[in-house]
Amino acid sequence: MRPTTIGEVLNALDRIVDTAIANGDPMGLFAYVYRRTTDQVQRAIARKAFEDGQRMEHFDVAFANLYLDAYEDWQRGAPVARCWGIAFESTRSPTAIIQHILLGMNAHINYDLAIAASTVMKGKPLLPLKNDFEKVNEILAGIVDELQDRLSRVSPLFFLADWF
């Protein structure tokens, strides 16, 4: 069943991360970063940090479902968008941790974001999303150091790159 709340999205992401950990699968790297970001968006909605918290929850769930659908389709061997295919395929080769994460971010932001925005705002102007989008950028900036610290624990190369 597709998630209809951010809580359900977090549970779905937890399942992906747990499965990836159990299988030693890099597929969980992007899911972990995405889960962490989604959790912070949920907390910001609870703090009333967005102009329209209800719209942001609806948007966040629609956006997440695009990734979750692509992930499920890939797992079943069904066709996925080329950008997701490249991101998922990269988990089958020795690619650096940061590359896995960036490939997932590229697919999700550069492909899924426009689809989610146009779906949620269908027939309405997109400009009202601007301030809330900028708030999400602030949330992302706020967790960058934490994510860098966590990634450097599992990747000595990432630690050195971050240090420099």
Side-chain angles (χ1 to χ4, degrees), residues 3-4 8 11-12 18 22 38-39 54 63 71 91 101 140 148 162:
T4 59
E8 292 172 359
N11 290 336
D18 291 345
T38 302
D39 177 64
Q54 185 177 18
F63 187 39
Y71 174 84
T91 65
I101 294 168
L140 286 167
Q148 287 174 327
D162 184 39

Side-chain angles (χ1 to χ4, degrees), residues 91-145:
T91 65
R92 295 179 175 165
S93 62
T95 305
I97 289 172
I98 193 68
Q99 289 174 298
H100 289 300
I101 294 168
L102 290 174
L103 284 166
M105 289 175 68
N106 175 64
H108 199 45
I109 293 169
N110 291 324
Y111 182 74
D112 293 341
L113 184 62
I115 295 169
S118 66
T119 300
V120 169
M121 300 302 286
K122 187 172 182 136
K124 302 175 195 167
L126 293 177
L127 191 57
L129 289 175
K130 182 178 187 278
N131 291 336
D132 286 345
F133 271 38
E134 289 175 359
K135 177 56 78 176
V136 172
N137 287 337
E138 290 173 26
I139 289 168
L140 286 167
I143 63 172
V144 165
D145 285 338

